[in-house]
Amino acid sequence: MSIRPDIHSQTKKTIYNVYTFFKTLANCKDKPELADYFRQSQERTAEACVVSLRTVQRICHESKVTGNREEPLCVGSSNDLKFQSPRKKYSREKSVTELDDFDNEVVRRVVHSFYDKDETWVNQNHTRGRIWQNEENTEGLKVPTGKGSRLIVCHAGSPSFGFIKESKLIFRCNSGDKDYHSQMNATIFESWFSQMLLNLEEPSIIVMDNASYHSSLAENYPKSNSRKADVQQWLRDKNIDFSPVETLDELREKVKLSIPRGKKYKLDELTFEMGHEVVRLPPYHCQYNPIELIWAQIKGRVAEKNSTFKIADVEKLVHKEIDAVTSNDWAKCGEHCVKIQEEDYVKAGLRDEILEPIILTINPDESSSSEDEDDSED
């Protein structure tokens, strides 16, 4: 495959001037030997300019299209010639600006998934989006650069009775760690969760998302990077027969077959043993959990009152604003979440009615043969 390079307009003018000069020589009656040699003007131009014949032909064609004079006497008058220079082609991705309600809902849920936790965080320099300062930047609230240290806040509550007593957990992230999720691991969360269950005064349904540290399995299975010896030992412990000559891939298949379809989570089992039940939210549906709105309310109040930007003061503010959440606040958040669920339920029903059913043929060869038989009978 040949690649045709683009040529600058000035180069095109030069090549075209050479072509018109050779064409002039081809019409020279005084020197018939020259006229005979330059009669093939385009070929001679290609040789003289060290370009392909196709390039000369394209330039000549462009000259006709742009209205250049065809007389060979235009040699030297390059300022009158008109050619186009190649323009740089930009490959830009088109921004998505027009989305229907369904796509908007998906995007919103994906964004919410980044904040889809039973805990929240508050930065040391957390403040309002807009603050007053004079033009000289000498008066008004001065916010330090960066986000500063970070607090992780973990709690549980309900519109029925507010925050659960003695279940508030607030601790500081290690300095230099940008990802706060790495600070909240399964060990910390399970310890807090077990204590929270002890503080429940009546059988309860606990709404929880599927964060990794919420979802430790009740039984550990060999991972994809487990060694062959570890997989073999796991199979022995489960009294699953295998051959010593079987490959690691074959052993993994035996592990997959032994894993139950319904996952059993460690926290769910613990909750059930203590007389409660866990209901896990679908992915990207944190808006169904009232505590998400409570966290937004608390963080907004902390942002309004944070004026020192000291982590100790921010921590005091977080404690104060959590304790200031009223039963009315919880009731409003609960009603809002119920309203969202009802609206989504209606939307889901409408989508089912609008979407056409998709029919898949399980055995296309068999169906085709039967149709052929029917056709032959006709």
Side-chain angles (χ1 to χ4, degrees), residues 185-195 213 216 266-267:
N185 53 42
T187 302
I188 296 176
F189 186 82
E190 288 173 13
S191 176
W192 169 84
F193 189 79
S194 301
Q195 185 60 44
Y213 42 87
S216 299
K266 185 176 180 181
L267 294 181

Side-chain angles (χ1 to χ4, degrees), residues 3-60:
I3 300 176
R4 186 184 70 187
D6 288 328
I7 302 177
H8 193 272
S9 62
Q10 188 60 44
T11 305
K12 291 180 180 179
K13 292 179 181 179
T14 301
I15 294 175
Y16 189 73
N17 276 330
V18 173
Y19 164 72
T20 55
F21 177 70
F22 286 168
K23 197 170 184 180
T24 301
L25 294 178
N27 295 325
C28 183
K29 298 180 179 179
D30 298 336
K31 298 181 178 180
E33 66 280 0
L34 289 177
D36 187 56
Y37 179 78
F38 288 103
R39 187 164 288 111
Q40 296 179 330
S41 303
Q42 292 183 346
E43 287 81 352
R44 300 294 175 248
T45 302
E47 294 174 2
C49 297
V50 195
V51 295
S52 66
L53 176 61
R54 179 58 182 159
T55 299
V56 178
Q57 292 173 344
R58 285 193 295 107
I59 293 175
C60 293

